[in-house]
Amino acid sequence: MTAFSGNPITYNQFDNGIILIVDDVPNNLKVLSDTLANAGFEVAIATSGEGALQQLEHTPVSLILLDVMMPGMDGFETCQQIKANPKTGNIPIIFVTALSESVNKVRGFELGAIDYITKPFQQGEVLARVRTHLKLNQLSQSLEARNIELQQLTQQLEQRVNERTQELFGSIETLKQTQQLMRLVFDTIPHWVGWKDINSVYLGCNQSLADVLNLNSPDEIVGKTDYDLLFSKEESDLFVMYDRHVMESGEPEFHIIDQLQRPDGQQVWLDTSKMPLRDAKGNVFGILFVTEDITERRQAEDQLKQQKQNLEKALAELQGTQVQLVQSEKMSALGNLVAGVAHEINNPVGFLGGNIQPALDYIKDIFGLMDLYQQEYCTPSRIIQDEIEAIDLDYIREDLPKLVGSMREGVKRIRDISTSLRTFSRADSDRPVACNIHDGIDSTILILKHRLKASENRPEIQVIKEYGQIPLLECFAGQLNQVFMNILANAIDALEESNIGRSFEEIKANPNCITISTKITDDQQKLIIKIKDNGKGMNEEVKQKVFGHLFTTKAVGKGTGLGLAIARQIVEETHGGKLSFNSTLGEYTEFFIEITV
């Protein structure tokens, strides 16, 4: 018959072993098993007494819910056989029955059952009784095991007491020898060693610490604190703070560096390691510290650090001097070269320029004489007529002045180039001179004209000038021209590298371009010069090193790595300005020159 009434109750799941339910009514089995399973129990079922006995042969069971009224072997007989088996006799049994007569309950208890649940019953009552008896059975088994263990321990303890009593007498003498050995070991250590209790009260120290504290014996430190010794209050507060931190955390602290002042006024550096002391149970009862005087080592480190700084400073100065020397030699050599070339050019150019006008006058006189001759001798001989036609005299009369005029323009062009060379490499005085920056930029572009021209591999590199209205700038013009030269030459290099792998038509569709702009800031305080190319740009690694001494991205033998380093020095150190840049890889690079007007 169905035995449950009321609403279901849910319990937290926990591990209590397997509960065997024995009942011949399937509905009872289902309701009981569902209730126990929902409460977190593992359930096994049997529909008869014989089936229950078979289950117990191979299933470890913690508790049995046994129906009394079953066909064949009833609950009482089943209980009797379970209890008679030594293997299953200790399993607690709760009878589940509709019988309420006390005689049946008494019989069940006599057979070994621990409780009764009568039908109909409540779900909560079943779960409560199951849990209670499982707990009681666990406690009973645990108590029995502990009693057995206690008896064994008592016997072992009696034996150990006898053994330890014998060992104790021998250990006392050994302990004395060990203490003497430990004292010898501690006193041999050159460092300062001390140990304190939980309240930072000294329990002992070695001879080295006693000597530095002016104690006659290490025993004199026992019972004292750091405040009772030669330390200042601030130093003692610091020591106690470290002690408290180590003892509270239970973790050692190594290499605590402190600077202290000795009674004689000498400053000393100490390296201290502190470790918690633990008893046999692992509880911290004090602290052990080891201190080393590292004053000499610290002084040596400071000296090495100072020497390193001096060397780094000297190296920086040497590099700066090297850059200046390279720049000076480079500008000097360039100036000498250009001055020599200009001198050599000026002599023949001057000769040509001075003779072109007389040549034109002579040509005019000759043509005038020819006209006069033709007037006086209207009918020249046949030979002269044939020669006039052969040399095309009329064309010569028309073209010869133009030819000489072209020569005059060529001479003027040569003079302009010579002037640009002298402008670019002009020798700087010992003080800034007012100059037109645009002239310097134009002269630099003219010198680099041969690199800008079109070639069989690419069209001409376009130079776009966006010059603003700027005043004359007091500067070292020759040095600034060197800056323009370095930046523009690098821009051309970047454009040529970006052309690698591109066809002439591809480059023509997206032409190489260098844009140069100048302007004065709104507050009229600074001159801004921008030089931008649409070349390959720079990656992050190059950006970090672009102004570095001797850094170059060019192949071996094609760059010194001094160009931009010198340029930055000229702009920032010589002129008090700023040289910076912005670059996006694969798109462009733009340099900014800022100089105070």
Side-chain angles (χ1 to χ4, degrees):
M1 60 181 287
T2 303
F4 286 93
S5 63
N7 296 325
I9 300 175
T10 302
Y11 295 89
N12 293 330
Q13 183 175 354
F14 55 91
D15 185 10
N16 287 302
I18 300 175
I19 298 177
L20 176 63
I21 305 173
V22 186
D23 198 315
D24 63 321
V25 180
N27 190 40
N28 286 349
L29 286 174
K30 183 179 187 308
V31 174
L32 272 173
S33 62
D34 288 348
T35 300
L36 293 174
N38 291 336
F41 294 99
E42 187 177 352
V43 177
I45 61 175
T47 57
S48 65
E50 293 85 350
L53 295 178
Q54 292 177 0
Q55 283 265 30
L56 292 174
E57 289 297 326
H58 55 79
T59 303
V61 175
S62 298
L63 184 141
I64 301 173
L65 293 178
L66 181 59
D67 189 21
V68 173
M69 301 300 295
M70 293 186 298
M73 182 184 294
D74 62 11
F76 293 133
E77 184 178 355
T78 304
C79 177
Q80 185 175 9
Q81 291 197 28
I82 291 173
K83 292 299 179 180
N85 187 345
K87 183 178 178 181
T88 59
N90 291 326
I91 301 175
I93 297 175
I94 299 177
F95 276 121
V96 180
T97 180
L99 299 178
S100 59
E101 293 83 356
S102 60
V103 62
N104 291 317
K105 294 182 179 180
V106 171
R107 183 183 176 193
F109 287 131
E110 289 177 348
L111 291 174
I114 59 172
D115 203 353
Y116 259 93
I117 299 176
T118 58
K119 304 176 184 178
F121 48 79
Q122 296 292 327
Q123 180 181 3
E125 177 187 1
V126 172
L127 292 175
R129 289 179 183 273
V130 167
R131 286 194 175 92
T132 299
H133 288 295
L134 281 173
K135 186 64 176 179
L136 288 174
N137 186 56
Q138 291 172 357
L139 291 174
S140 176
Q141 293 178 358
S142 177
L143 180 60
E144 182 179 354
R146 292 297 292 170
N147 286 334
I148 295 173
E149 182 181 355
L150 182 59
Q151 291 177 359
Q152 295 174 347
L153 289 175
T154 301
Q155 295 175 357
Q156 294 175 0
L157 181 60
E158 291 176 352
Q159 181 179 356
R160 290 294 295 164
V161 167
N162 292 331
E163 293 175 354
R164 293 297 294 167
T165 301
Q166 298 298 323
E167 294 174 357
L168 183 59
F169 292 107
S171 298
I172 292 175
E173 184 62 28
T174 302
L175 180 60
K176 292 179 180 179
Q177 296 176 359
T178 302
Q179 289 177 337
Q180 293 175 355
L181 178 60
M182 291 299 296
R183 168 63 65 183
L184 180 62
V185 170
F186 279 127
D187 289 343
T188 303
I189 296 176
H191 304 329
W192 308 341
V193 182
W195 47 99
K196 307 174 185 179
D197 66 12
I198 197 71
N199 298 312
S200 292
V201 176
Y202 278 93
L203 300 174
C205 72
N206 69 344
Q207 189 63 49
S208 297
L209 182 56
D211 292 341
V212 79
L213 295 176
N214 294 330
L215 301 176
N216 295 324
S217 167
D219 296 332
E220 292 184 12
I221 204 171
V222 177
K224 289 181 170 56
T225 66
D226 292 310
Y227 298 96
D228 302 322
L229 301 173
L230 300 177
F231 306 113
S232 66
K233 182 180 182 304
E234 292 76 12
E235 293 169 347
S236 299
D237 289 341
L238 187 63
F239 296 157
V240 172
M241 180 190 71
Y242 286 140
D243 293 346
R244 185 62 50 202
H245 183 267
V246 170
M247 287 188 286
E248 288 178 354
S249 67
E251 298 293 333
E253 286 194 14
F254 301 104
H255 303 298
I256 304 170
I257 307 299
D258 294 312
Q259 186 179 19
L260 304 181
Q261 185 172 356
R262 284 182 174 177
D264 58 4
Q266 180 185 359
Q267 294 289 334
V268 296
W269 288 92
L270 303 179
D271 183 346
T272 302
S273 296
K274 298 196 173 190
M275 293 141 283
L277 295 174
R278 300 181 184 273
D279 58 21
K281 296 181 180 180
N283 299 319
V284 176
F285 69 87
I287 190 170
L288 171 71
F289 68 86
V290 180
T291 299
E292 179 184 2
D293 185 346
I294 59 170
T295 303
E296 293 183 359
R297 186 174 72 191
R298 191 58 179 258
Q299 291 173 348
E301 290 175 353
D302 291 342
Q303 291 177 356
L304 288 175
K305 184 177 180 180
Q306 184 62 43
Q307 291 175 358
K308 180 182 178 183
Q309 292 176 349
N310 294 338
L311 288 174
E312 290 175 348
K313 181 179 179 181
L315 178 60
E317 293 175 352
L318 179 61
Q319 290 177 340
T321 302
Q322 182 182 9
V323 170
Q324 292 176 350
L325 288 174
V326 170
Q327 175 195 354
S328 177
E329 290 298 324
K330 190 173 184 179
M331 294 301 295
S332 176
L334 182 60
N336 292 333
L337 174 63
V338 171
V341 171
H343 177 73
E344 294 298 325
I345 290 176
N346 284 339
N347 286 335
V349 167
F351 171 77
L352 291 173
N355 289 304
I356 286 178
Q357 186 58 46
L360 286 173
D361 294 339
Y362 296 157
I363 292 171
K364 182 178 180 182
D365 291 343
I366 291 172
F367 285 161
L369 178 60
M370 291 176 64
D371 292 338
L372 181 60
Y373 181 83
Q374 288 179 347
Q375 290 176 8
E376 293 296 327
Y377 299 97
C378 297
T379 306
S381 66
R382 187 62 189 173
I383 296 175
I384 293 175
Q385 289 181 3
D386 292 342
E387 185 64 25
I388 289 173
E389 292 177 1
I391 65 174
D392 196 354
L393 180 61
D394 291 336
Y395 175 78
I396 292 176
R397 290 173 62 92
E398 179 183 355
D399 189 60
L400 184 57
K402 295 179 181 180
L403 181 62
V404 177
S406 297
M407 294 173 62
R408 173 181 284 175
E409 290 299 320
V411 170
K412 184 178 180 299
R413 176 67 173 165
I414 294 173
R415 282 177 174 172
D416 290 341
I417 294 173
S418 177
T419 301
S420 295
L421 288 173
R422 290 198 302 273
T423 300
F424 173 78
S425 61
R426 63 187 297 174
D428 288 317
S429 63
D430 57 354
R431 59 183 177 82
V433 177
C435 299
N436 187 336
I437 290 298
H438 293 163
D439 289 343
I441 297 175
D442 290 340
S443 67
T444 305
I445 294 173
L446 184 60
I447 292 172
L448 292 171
K449 189 71 175 179
H450 69 286
R451 296 195 61 190
L452 299 172
K453 291 181 178 179
S455 67
E456 60 181 8
N457 298 320
R458 62 162 176 80
E460 180 181 4
I461 297 176
Q462 301 175 13
V463 178
I464 302 173
K465 301 178 184 177
E466 298 176 352
Y467 290 167
Q469 294 296 326
I470 63 173
L472 296 179
L473 179 68
E474 289 193 356
C475 62
F476 297 95
Q479 296 186 37
L480 283 182
N481 290 340
Q482 181 67 34
V483 174
F484 302 147
M485 173 67 78
N486 286 330
I487 295 177
L488 288 171
N490 284 340
I492 296 172
D493 290 339
L495 291 171
E496 290 180 344
E497 290 183 22
S498 69
N499 291 334
I500 297 175
R502 300 170 62 196
S503 67
F504 191 97
E505 295 301 324
E506 288 174 337
I507 300 172
K508 185 177 181 180
N510 184 19
N512 299 148
C513 180
I514 298 176
T515 303
I516 305 172
S517 64
T518 61
K519 70 174 184 176
I520 293 291
T521 55
D522 295 338
D523 58 6
Q524 304 295 309
Q525 298 297 313
K526 290 184 178 180
L527 168 63
I528 307 296
I529 305 169
K530 299 180 182 179
I531 302 175
K532 181 179 181 181
D533 68 73
N534 60 345
K536 56 183 288 188
M538 296 184 241
N539 59 33
E540 290 302 322
E541 181 181 0
V542 173
K543 288 181 183 180
Q544 298 297 323
K545 302 177 181 179
V546 67
F547 292 118
H549 181 68
L550 299 179
F551 174 76
T552 179
T553 59
K554 299 179 177 67
V556 176
K558 292 188 177 181
T560 63
L562 295 175
L564 290 178
I566 292 174
R568 190 176 204 178
Q569 187 180 58
I570 292 172
V571 173
E572 298 186 356
E573 297 183 15
T574 304
H575 292 86
K578 182 179 179 182
L579 177 61
S580 59
F581 70 93
N582 188 21
S583 181
T584 300
L585 187 62
E587 295 185 12
Y588 72 93
T589 297
E590 185 173 21
F591 279 87
F592 304 88
I593 303 171
E594 301 179 23
I595 301 178
T596 303
V597 176

